[in-house]
């Protein structure tokens, strides 16, 4: 559900639902994008101030779920002027507007403490590694540039402390912008959660791929038999694991064959493998020779993340289990009985980069939002190199945005930077 | 020692007659309070103890704000200024700032005459030895000779006098500034009352006899023509005769001499414990920290019209006197210089300003206010602005009125007070425009528009100023309205005129105000368009309309930022709140908040180490506290 709170929400809600909502009446309606295309169908609810949870106007969009769709509704709201709430901000507003009683306030206090810890944890995780280093590098450059600009503004030319020429400013600015754009594209591309992950089942004929597909999707999508080569074309199935969209592709088992239809299926299978975010390599645990043959044959195993699934433990008598060593993951299960399939499900989420804490998802949206706001501010600065105080304002805004990702920075730190760089003072 | 009670009672007593004390005393009297100004020496009221100049970037902004509230500093600078300049003139209006070199005597006279002619204000010469405190409430002060004065509020502006210690080379002695005694008993009493104390350092250069200087080899620098004025009520005709400054610089030989004396410098041998300002370093500091720089500029500033004394700005030092002579004489034009007074460093006590409310009243003792250098700031302008605020609030306290303090988006004064009380200081605090996140709206040119009406409502602005201001404000509003409702379109604006003024033809209808927002269009060029109507008569009005239009987009955006935070910003936190009772708050946050007892949620959010989550928890707790109190009241009925 996407919930928006604030003033003057009527234009936002009518833009999304294409109609004027009546307070407190649940309306089944499409959620529309900018061009009037339907993003999702669901219930929209409008509450007039002060008769709402927060005491402000509130609109709720209850869609069909799934983070990808949710995300697109969220983005639609943001493009209409909303912004992402800070953790606990709804409660905060509710509280400020006198909407919470004592008991509620108490329980929300605990909740805030809990979610903050979780958010902090997930922030640490998503911020460890290259992404956080890259943001910090850009921030350092902004601060460096600001030190020059601010020193020029705060100390008279005659003292000869620092002279900024506008060409130099523009060069620095465009380097900055380029780096941030690069980060943005990486962060967006890497955001599998928004687009959903492409997971491809591969394996020798009759390894049990179609049975596994049926198990994972919870319905009989693929035809199953004991005859090798039953599946001749790729079968695509959209499914969700814990609400994360997964595009699962069942491929024809790859083997030498004279059957023309089966050959065409194998070509398509190879194409799917090329585009996969994750491969699930099925090994018939009851037939060890086939497994060896297959690992050699598959070109993309080792390049694309791969889970090795040892199927048919109902025949070998092994227990469902998961083994991780040397960077490979082996799951032992039975596609026929379903034993061990839940292990595989959680391992799929793991492998596509999804962490179970909810904070991660929102934190990432926030990060992308902050980056795009920062870019807009830098973009604005480009025309202002000869109006230094406005150039400085744009840099300040850009930095404010990125600070939301990494943490606090105060004016005095900037002064420290200035005093460290320039010999200042008569 | 015998003591006596002075027969008259006062509303407000101000201790100290520097820039903070004089503004505090004047404004308290203007507010209608019977005010006493106590100074150890009436002859030094309004003394400029350091460099003979007023204003500068960030500082000029404060002076204009003091002026907008009818304070004395800008007007005194207009009467005593011997060179006026607008710094950053080539940059945007937000960072332009006025600076004046001042004749020390004329400036002091201007302040003195205001003090002597101010109704409700009484002067008395005697050093103050002790505060009279009844548990946690101020009742008055006791002087060195045992005279006890009683008052409802006391403003303490002791400058560098609290346990002041002067260093020249390896010798040091106790003093308030060169030639004045320090206040030691007062400092001890304040420590005993539980005020958190720290130690800071500042310094001055040796003063030089102008007759021994060869000015002909130096670069001469005159003020702007026409000369700017400082006060909104000022006129250039008030200025006395104008003088130039001169610029020379240090060289490698100077630096060698300084390096040779470092082993006898109290800064480098560890004798000085106080922290000095990074932006006003001693010359020995500069050559050590920026060893790669082969030369540093020195500005020779005249101390006045009737004196030969020259203030060499840029060579503040506490090196031994023999090194001072050698280093001065190594500089071009100063080969034969005679030093009138040696340079020195002074260490002094300051009180951690986190112990103050935003009204500048101490949290420990009701009715006691601190202003100026004892709060860890530096500079005349910072002192004057604080003095003004403390004076206003001391007067309001005496009449049992609610305190007033400007917000960060209203005034540099608000930025300064918020910085001081939320974050404290680690070095002497000086104003910079980069401290103000709302810099684009906190300009020198609109200080009156921001503050004069507030001052009028506080009862500290004179009728004359109010009338003049009101007229100007009306004229600005009228002209803005006219421009917003005067339209041009392709039919009435010829291509020739459009290209001359706008650089291109207009493709649709615009109001004149819309056109003025374009960077390349000035008010005067706009008025040169046919049918643009009559230009306003006063330049200040035209200027204000133009600046307002140029910054409008940015200021609207900043105002949104302000509004977003407004609900929380002003939510009061009770001083009695024990943060250990706030559920789920981290121990560290509890300790910091208990130590500082912030006044509002906004204030709490700027304390270092306090996170947004802590603020949420506080909000929830407030709700709980509110309910408990209410229940308590109902029980009482």
């Amino acid at each position: 559900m996407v919930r928006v709170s604030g003033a003057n929400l009527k234009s936002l809600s009518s833009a999304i639902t294409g109609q004027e909502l009546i307070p407190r009446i649940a309306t089944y309606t499409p959620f529309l994008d900018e061009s009037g295309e339907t993003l999702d169908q669901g219930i929209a609810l409008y509450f007039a101030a002060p008769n709402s949870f927060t005491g402000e106007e509130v609109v709720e969009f209850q869609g069909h779920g799934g983070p990808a769709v949710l995300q697109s509704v969220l983005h639609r709201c943001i493009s209409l002027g909303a912004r992402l709430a800070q953790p606990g901000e709804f409660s905060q507003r509710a509280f400020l507007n006198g909407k919470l009683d004592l008991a509620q306030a108490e329980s929300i206090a605990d909740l805030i403490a809990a979610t903050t810890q979780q958010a902090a944890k997930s922030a640490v995780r998503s911020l460890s590694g290259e992404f956080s280093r890259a943001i910090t590098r850009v921030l350092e450059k902004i601060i460096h540039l600001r030190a020059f600009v601010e020193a020029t503004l705060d100390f008279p030319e005659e003292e000869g402390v620092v002279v900024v020429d506008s060409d130099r400013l523009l060069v620095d600015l465009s380097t900055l912008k380029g780096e941030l754009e690069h980060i943005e594209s990486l962060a967006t591309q890497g955001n599998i959660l928004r687009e959903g992950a492409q997971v491809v089942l591969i394996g020798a004929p009759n390894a049990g791929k179609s049975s596994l597909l049926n198990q994972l999707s919870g319905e009989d999508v693929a035809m199953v038999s004991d005859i090798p080569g039953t599946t001749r074309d790729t079968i695509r199935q959209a499914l969700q694991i814990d609400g994360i969209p997964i595009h699962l592709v069942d491929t024809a088992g790859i083997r030498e064959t004279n059957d023309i239809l089966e050959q065409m299926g194998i070509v398509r299978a190879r194409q799917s493998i090329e585009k996969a975010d994750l491969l699930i390599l099925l090994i018939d645990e009851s037939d060890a020779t086939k497994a060896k043959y297959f690992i050699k044959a598959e070109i993309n195993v080792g390049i694309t993340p791969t889970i090795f699934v040892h199927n048919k433990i109902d025949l070998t008598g092994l227990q469902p289990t998961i083994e991780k060593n040397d960077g490979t993951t082996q799951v032992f299960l039975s596609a026929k009985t379903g034993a061990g399939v839940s292990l595989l499900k959680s391992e799929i989420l793991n492998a596509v980069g999804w962490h179970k804490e909810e904070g991660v998802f929102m934190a990432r949206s926030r990060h992308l939002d902050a980056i795009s706001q920062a870019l807009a501010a830098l973009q604005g600065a480009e025309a202002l190199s000869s109006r230094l105080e406005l150039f400085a304002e744009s840099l300040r805004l850009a930095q404010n945005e990125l600070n939301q990702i990494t943490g606090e920075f105060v004016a005095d730190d900037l002064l420290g930077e200035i005093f460290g760089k320039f010999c200042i003072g008569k | 020692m015998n003591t006596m009670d002075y027969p008259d009672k006062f509303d407000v007593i101000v201790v100290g007659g520097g820039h903070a004390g004089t503004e505090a005393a004047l404004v308290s009297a203007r507010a209608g309070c019977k005010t006493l100004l106590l100074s150890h020496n009436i002859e030094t009221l309004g003394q400029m103890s350091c460099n003979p100049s007023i204003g500068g970037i960030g500082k000029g902004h404060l002076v204009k704000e003091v002026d907008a509230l009818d304070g004395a500093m800008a007007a005194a600078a207009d009467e005593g200024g011997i060179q006026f300049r607008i710094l950053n003139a080539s940059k945007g209006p937000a960072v332009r700032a006025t600076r004046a070199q001042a004749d020390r005597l004329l400036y002091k006279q201007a302040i003195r005459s205001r003090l002597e002619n101010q109704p409700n204000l009484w002067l008395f010469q005697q050093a103050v030895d002790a505060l009279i405190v009844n548990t946690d409430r101020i009742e008055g002060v006791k002087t060195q000779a045992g005279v006890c004065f009683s008052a409802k509020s006391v403003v303490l502006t002791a400058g560098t006098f609290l346990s002041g210690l002067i260093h020249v080379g390896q010798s040091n002695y106790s003093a308030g500034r060169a030639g004045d005694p320090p206040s030691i008993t007062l400092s001890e009493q304040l420590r005993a009352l539980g005020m958190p104390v720290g130690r800071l350092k500042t310094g001055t250069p040796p003063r030089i006899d102008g007759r021994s200087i060869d000015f002909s080899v130096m670069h001469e620098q005159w003020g702007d023509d026409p000369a700017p004025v400082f006060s909104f009520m000022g006129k250039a005709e008030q200025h006395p005769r104008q003088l130039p400054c001169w610029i020379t610089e240090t060289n490698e030989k100077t630096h060698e001499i300084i390096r040779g004396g470092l082993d006898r410098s109290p800064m480098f041998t560890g004798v000085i414990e106080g922290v000095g300002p990074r932006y006003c370093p001693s010359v020995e500091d500069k050559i050590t920290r920026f060893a790669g720089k082969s030369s540093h500029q020195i500005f020779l500033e005249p101390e006045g019209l009737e004196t030969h004394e020259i203030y060499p700005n840029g060579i503040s030092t506490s090196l031994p006197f023999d090194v001072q002579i050698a280093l001065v004489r190594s500089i071009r034009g100063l080969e034969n210089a005679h030093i009138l007074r040696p340079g020195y460093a002074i260490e002094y006590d300051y009180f951690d300003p986190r112990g103050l409310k935003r009204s500048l009243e101490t949290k420990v003792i009701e009715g006691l206010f601190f202003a100026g250098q004892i709060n860890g700031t530096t500079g005349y302008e910072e002192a004057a602005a604080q003095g003004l605020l403390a004076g206003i609030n001391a007067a309001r306290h005496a009449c049992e009125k609610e305190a007033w303090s400007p917000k960060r988006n209203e005034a540099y004064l608000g930025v300064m007070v918020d910085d001081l009380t939320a974050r404290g200081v680690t070095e002497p605090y000086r104003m910079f425009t980069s401290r103000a996140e709302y810099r684009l709206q906190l300009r020198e040119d609109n200080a009156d528009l921001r503050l004069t009406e507030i001052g009028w409502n506080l009862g500290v602005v004179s009728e004359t100023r109010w009338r003049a201001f009101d007229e100007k404000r009306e004229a600005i509003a009228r002209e803005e309205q006219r421009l917003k409702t005067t339209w041009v379109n392709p039919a009435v604006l010829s291509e020739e005129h459009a290209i001359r003024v706008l650089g291109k033809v207009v493709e649709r209808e615009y109001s004149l105000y819309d056109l003025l927002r374009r960077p390349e269009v000035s008010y005067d060029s706009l008025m040169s368009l046919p049918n643009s109507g009559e230009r306003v008569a006063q330049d200040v009005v035209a200027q204000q309309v133009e600046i307002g239009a140029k910054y409008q987009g940015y200021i609207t955006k900043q105002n949104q930022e302000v509004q977003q935070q407004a609900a929380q910003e002003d939510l009061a936190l009770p001083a009695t709140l024990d943060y250990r009772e706030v559920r789920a708050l981290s121990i560290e946050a509890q300790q910091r908040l208990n130590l500082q007892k912030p006044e509002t949620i906004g204030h709490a959010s700027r304390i270092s180490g306090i996170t947004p989550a802590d603020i949420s928890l506080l909000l929830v707790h407030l709700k709980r506290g509110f309910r408990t109190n209410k229940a308590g009241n109902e029980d009482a009925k």
Side-chain angles (χ1 to χ4, degrees):
Chain A
M1 179 179 75
V2 177
R3 180 189 277 157
V4 187
S5 177
N8 305 321
L9 294 185
K10 288 210 159 169
S11 62
L12 180 140
S13 63
S14 65
I16 293 182
T17 62
Q19 57 189 301
E20 186 156 325
L21 299 173
I22 302 155
R24 299 179 159 269
I25 302 290
T27 311
Y28 185 68
T29 169
F31 303 149
L32 308 172
D33 70 9
E34 297 80 12
S35 51
E37 297 280 320
T38 300
L39 293 167
D40 194 6
Q41 295 263 343
I43 304 289
L45 256 169
Y46 170 78
F47 301 91
N51 302 315
S52 73
F53 171 59
T54 59
E56 303 168 335
E57 282 180 63
V58 168
V59 196
E60 294 180 1
F61 301 104
Q62 304 171 11
H64 279 109
V69 178
L70 183 75
Q71 193 79 2
S72 57
V73 176
L74 192 61
H75 277 276
R76 176 76 171 124
C77 292
I78 289 169
S79 72
L80 287 166
R83 67 171 169 81
L84 290 170
Q86 303 295 323
E89 192 175 354
F90 274 86
S91 314
Q92 220 176 69
R93 289 192 184 192
F95 168 77
L96 287 171
N97 294 318
K99 284 297 195 176
L100 295 184
D101 67 19
L102 179 57
Q104 283 170 317
E106 290 280 351
S107 62
I108 281 166
D110 293 338
L111 192 68
I112 292 170
T115 48
T116 322
Q117 279 166 9
Q118 195 184 30
K121 248 195 283 173
S122 41
V124 166
R125 192 169 309 158
S126 65
L127 283 179
S128 63
E130 198 49 39
F131 179 60
S132 109
R133 278 198 293 276
I135 291 286
T136 309
R137 266 201 306 275
V138 171
L139 264 176
E140 278 166 5
K141 284 189 182 167
I142 292 182
I143 293 166
H144 181 83
L145 188 54
R146 285 192 72 195
F148 268 92
V149 173
E150 294 292 339
T152 312
L153 292 174
D154 260 339
F155 299 92
E157 302 94 333
E158 69 197 34
E159 288 177 27
V161 170
V162 51
V163 186
V164 166
D165 76 284
S166 71
D167 290 345
R168 163 85 195 279
L169 285 185
L170 285 178
V171 170
D172 284 359
L173 183 69
S174 102
T175 315
L176 257 177
K177 243 184 72 206
E179 271 184 46
L180 198 53
E181 274 164 358
H182 183 61
I183 295 170
E184 188 188 39
S185 84
L186 287 182
T188 311
Q189 275 168 28
N191 196 350
I192 283 170
L193 304 170
R194 193 184 285 181
E195 306 295 333
Q198 181 101 338
V199 178
V200 177
L201 290 174
I202 54 174
N206 207 25
K209 298 185 291 297
S210 299
S211 303
L212 187 59
L213 172 74
N214 291 343
Q215 275 291 351
L216 287 172
S217 62
E219 34 186 306
D220 283 342
V221 183
M223 197 167 31
V224 183
S225 81
D226 288 337
I227 307 160
T230 305
T231 304
R232 297 190 169 189
D233 195 0
T234 54
I235 294 175
R236 294 169 181 278
Q237 172 69 1
L239 57 99
Q240 290 188 355
I241 301 177
D242 289 1
I244 306 305
I246 301 288
H247 307 290
L248 194 63
V249 184
D250 181 16
T251 62
I254 297 172
R255 63 168 176 176
E256 299 293 325
T257 175
N258 294 325
D259 184 319
I260 292 182
L261 276 180
E262 197 181 345
Q263 278 175 356
M264 285 169 66
I266 291 170
V267 171
R268 288 206 188 185
R270 288 194 184 277
Q271 286 169 351
S272 296
I273 291 167
E274 299 279 327
K275 285 189 252 169
D277 295 312
L278 172 69
L279 297 175
I280 296 179
L281 173 57
L282 245 72
I283 298 158
D284 185 345
E285 187 61 18
S286 63
D287 185 349
T289 55
K290 273 188 199 166
K292 276 182 194 155
Y293 152 77
F294 218 86
I295 291 165
K296 280 182 203 156
E298 280 316 319
I299 40 165
N300 270 45
V301 172
I303 298 168
T304 308
T306 306
I307 300 173
F308 297 88
V309 170
H310 301 264
N311 192 16
K312 306 192 184 177
I313 56 169
D314 52 319
L315 298 179
T316 60
L318 288 171
Q319 288 303 306
T321 178
I322 187 162
E323 281 178 14
K324 293 191 178 193
N325 40 45
D326 301 337
T328 68
T329 305
Q330 324 271 339
V331 180
F332 294 82
L333 54 72
S334 164
K336 193 168 168 191
T337 65
V341 170
S342 59
L343 286 177
L344 177 61
K345 281 187 176 176
S346 62
E347 189 50 36
I348 289 174
L349 292 186
N350 237 337
V352 300
W354 172 252
H355 304 286
K356 267 191 182 150
E357 295 89 337
E358 258 182 32
V360 174
F361 187 48
M362 298 311 292
R364 288 191 175 178
S365 304
R366 252 206 292 281
H367 295 169
L368 284 174
D369 193 43
I371 292 174
S372 96
Q373 297 285 343
L375 271 171
L378 293 180
Q379 187 80 42
E382 267 178 356
L384 300 169
S385 65
S386 59
R387 301 164 76 197
L388 212 53
E389 84 282 21
L390 300 181
F391 188 86
E393 174 72 0
S394 301
L395 289 182
R396 179 182 81 86
L397 292 173
Q399 194 190 328
N400 268 357
E401 293 295 339
L402 295 185
N403 279 344
Q404 292 180 9
I405 301 178
T406 58
E408 189 69 5
F409 180 91
V410 291
D412 220 31
D413 300 344
L414 187 62
L415 289 171
E417 185 84 1
I418 293 173
F419 299 135
K421 278 201 171 64
F422 310 110
C423 181
I424 270 159
K426 288 191 192 174
Chain B
M1 179 177 54
N2 289 329
T3 63
M4 71 157 276
D5 289 333
Y6 191 77
D8 300 336
K9 292 203 182 309
F10 292 92
D11 294 315
V12 175
I13 294 173
V14 177
V15 181
H19 304 283
T22 51
E23 294 289 357
L26 285 167
V27 77
S28 161
R30 282 205 301 283
C33 285
K34 188 173 177 188
T35 306
L36 176 71
L37 175 57
L38 278 166
S39 168
H40 73 286
N41 183 358
I42 284 184
E43 300 314 316
T44 59
L45 292 173
Q47 170 98 312
M48 295 199 272
S49 323
C50 194
N51 58 319
S53 86
I54 301 277
I57 302 168
K59 290 166 167 281
H61 291 74
L62 284 170
V63 178
K64 295 272 185 176
E65 290 179 358
V66 169
D67 185 58
L69 293 165
D70 229 351
M73 183 168 257
D78 279 332
E79 289 173 33
I82 51 178
Q83 185 193 98
F84 289 82
R85 300 179 60 216
I86 300 289
L87 304 180
N88 271 347
S90 66
K91 296 172 195 150
V95 292
R96 281 177 211 158
T98 316
R99 185 169 66 197
Q101 296 299 141
D103 176 303
R104 276 184 206 286
L105 285 174
L106 291 178
Y107 184 85
K108 219 156 73 172
Q109 275 166 18
I111 294 289
R112 174 83 177 264
S113 85
R114 276 170 176 73
L115 292 167
E116 286 182 357
N117 291 305
Q118 175 67 47
N120 296 328
L121 178 58
W122 309 94
L123 306 180
F124 190 76
Q125 173 170 311
Q126 202 153 100
V128 168
D129 249 9
L131 302 171
I132 304 169
V133 178
N134 185 353
T135 47
D136 54 0
R137 217 187 144 90
I138 197 82
E139 294 196 331
V141 299
K142 193 178 82 176
T143 67
Q144 225 164 26
V147 185
C148 295
F149 292 95
S150 87
K152 295 171 192 155
S153 309
V154 170
V155 182
L156 188 62
T157 67
T160 59
F161 281 57
L162 295 177
S163 301
L165 185 62
I166 282 185
H167 298 264
V168 182
Q170 282 152 310
S171 56
N172 56 60
Y173 59 98
S174 291
R177 73 186 148 209
D180 288 306
S183 314
I184 289 172
T185 53
L186 196 53
S187 180
E188 280 166 0
Q189 186 192 12
L190 290 168
R191 283 172 191 255
L193 286 168
M195 303 276 185
V197 181
R199 201 93 170 126
L200 291 173
K201 172 233 128 179
T202 187
T204 74
R207 315 298 159 88
I208 300 171
D209 188 331
R211 292 172 304 175
S212 65
I213 299 174
D214 179 4
F215 292 109
S216 68
V217 298
M218 297 179 187
H219 175 71
E220 198 174 87
Q221 185 187 47
W222 286 89
D224 291 351
D225 187 25
V229 287
F230 237 126
S231 170
F232 288 104
M233 306 291 286
K235 290 189 173 57
E237 299 87 81
Q238 293 172 297
H239 298 168
R241 182 161 62 89
Q242 301 293 288
L243 289 181
C245 294
W246 296 269
I247 302 171
T248 179
E249 65 279 316
T250 63
N251 52 50
E252 286 293 3
K253 196 176 155 211
T254 319
H255 298 182
E256 225 167 88
I257 292 165
I258 295 168
R259 275 191 289 269
L262 285 182
D263 58 340
R264 288 186 292 145
S265 156
M267 300 260 310
F268 288 81
T269 52
V271 177
I272 293 184
E273 293 160 9
V275 183
R278 288 171 298 177
Y279 39 80
C280 188
S282 62
V283 70
E284 51 265 40
D285 227 6
K286 284 193 214 178
I287 65 134
T288 318
R289 284 177 47 211
F290 297 92
K293 228 176 155 208
S294 59
S295 167
H296 296 271
Q297 284 197 87
I298 300 165
F299 293 75
L300 298 184
E301 302 172 354
E303 297 251 355
L305 295 171
E306 305 299 330
T307 172
H308 294 295
E309 194 168 342
I310 294 287
Y311 185 96
N313 207 338
I315 50 169
S316 161
T317 182
S318 57
L319 285 164
F321 186 54
D322 59 299
V323 185
Q324 292 189 19
I325 296 176
L327 88 87
V328 164
R329 291 192 173 171
S330 72
I331 294 166
R332 181 164 43 86
L334 300 179
E335 292 85 353
N336 301 307
H338 171 71
I339 293 180
L340 279 166
R341 320 172 194 224
Y344 63 89
I346 179 164
E347 281 188 286
Y348 55 96
D349 282 355
Y350 78 99
F351 292 95
D352 185 342
R354 289 175 295 185
L356 300 174
K357 300 177 186 175
R358 282 196 296 186
S359 59
L360 297 180
E361 186 180 11
T362 60
K363 289 175 184 171
V364 182
I365 296 166
E366 193 201 322
L368 177 61
F369 295 79
F370 282 0
Q373 256 170 319
I374 60 170
N375 290 340
T377 63
T378 172
Y380 311 145
E381 303 81 356
E382 287 82 354
Q386 287 173 68
L388 184 88
L389 182 65
I392 288 173
N393 286 318
R396 294 183 73 76
H397 176 263
C399 332
E400 290 169 12
K401 286 184 193 157
E402 208 181 312
W404 171 76
S405 182
K407 300 193 185 81
R408 294 186 72 90
N409 61 318
E410 285 178 323
Y412 273 89
L413 179 51
V415 172
M416 174 166 65
V417 166
D418 191 66
D419 280 350
L420 291 174
T421 56
R423 311 194 82 99
V425 298
T426 51
E427 68 181 321
Y429 180 97
R430 190 207 129 155
M431 187 44 77
F432 293 102
T433 70
S434 53
R435 293 194 194 273
E437 60 274 45
Y438 305 115
R439 172 166 64 196
L440 296 180
Q441 42 192 316
L442 303 185
R443 306 186 303 272
E444 270 200 359
D445 63 74
N446 70 353
D448 54 346
L449 292 163
R450 291 184 277 120
L451 294 171
T452 298
E453 183 168 20
I454 295 175
W456 174 250
N457 292 330
L458 289 169
V460 299
V461 166
S462 71
E463 177 114 23
T464 326
R465 180 182 291 266
W466 170 249
R467 288 250 168 87
F469 165 74
D470 199 41
E471 206 171 285
K472 174 182 164 190
R473 189 174 56 173
E474 287 289 312
I476 293 166
R478 262 198 314 275
E479 182 62 1
E480 278 179 346
Q481 191 53 31
R482 186 180 79 81
L483 295 185
K484 282 175 180 166
T485 52
T486 308
W487 300 85
V488 294
N489 57 46
V492 300
L493 184 56
S494 74
E495 197 180 322
E496 181 205 333
H497 285 299
I499 287 178
R500 176 176 58 82
V501 173
L502 310 170
K504 55 188 172 199
V505 296
V506 292
E507 71 285 6
R508 60 174 177 88
E509 191 165 61
Y510 288 101
S511 74
L512 289 179
Y513 198 78
D514 287 336
L515 295 180
L516 187 56
R517 292 181 62 187
R518 299 184 178 182
E520 67 280 1
V521 179
S522 70
Y523 178 79
D524 284 328
S525 70
L526 190 71
M527 287 302 104
S528 74
L529 289 175
N531 307 319
S532 63
E534 200 180 325
R535 186 192 190 283
V536 285
Q538 309 108 296
D539 286 339
V540 284
V541 173
Q543 179 205 31
Q544 206 45 237
V545 170
E546 181 176 318
I547 296 171
K550 298 286 184 237
Y551 280 152
Q552 193 197 40
Y554 293 89
I555 289 173
T556 306
K557 206 167 169 191
Q558 289 194 338
N559 284 339
Q560 284 166 357
E561 206 176 300
V562 172
Q563 260 170 12
Q564 263 175 22
Q565 295 156 3
Q568 288 188 14
E569 180 66 40
D570 300 334
L571 203 66
L573 285 165
T576 51
L577 178 57
D578 181 352
Y579 291 87
R580 283 173 305 184
E581 289 169 7
V582 178
R583 201 167 161 141
L585 203 60
S586 72
I587 306 272
E588 191 200 351
Q590 285 174 10
Q591 287 171 343
R592 282 172 191 265
L593 291 164
N594 263 337
L595 195 71
Q596 277 187 245
K597 301 277 185 191
E599 290 170 78
T600 61
I601 288 283
H603 204 210
S605 71
R606 286 185 289 276
I607 292 174
S608 70
I610 299 301
T611 67
D614 295 333
I615 296 301
S616 306
L617 294 168
L618 277 184
L619 288 169
V620 170
H621 184 85
L622 274 189
K623 172 80 175 182
R624 194 167 77 147
F626 173 69
R627 291 213 136 222
T628 320
N629 287 344
K630 211 163 128 190
N633 290 342
E634 275 157 15
D635 288 347
K637 284 177 202 163

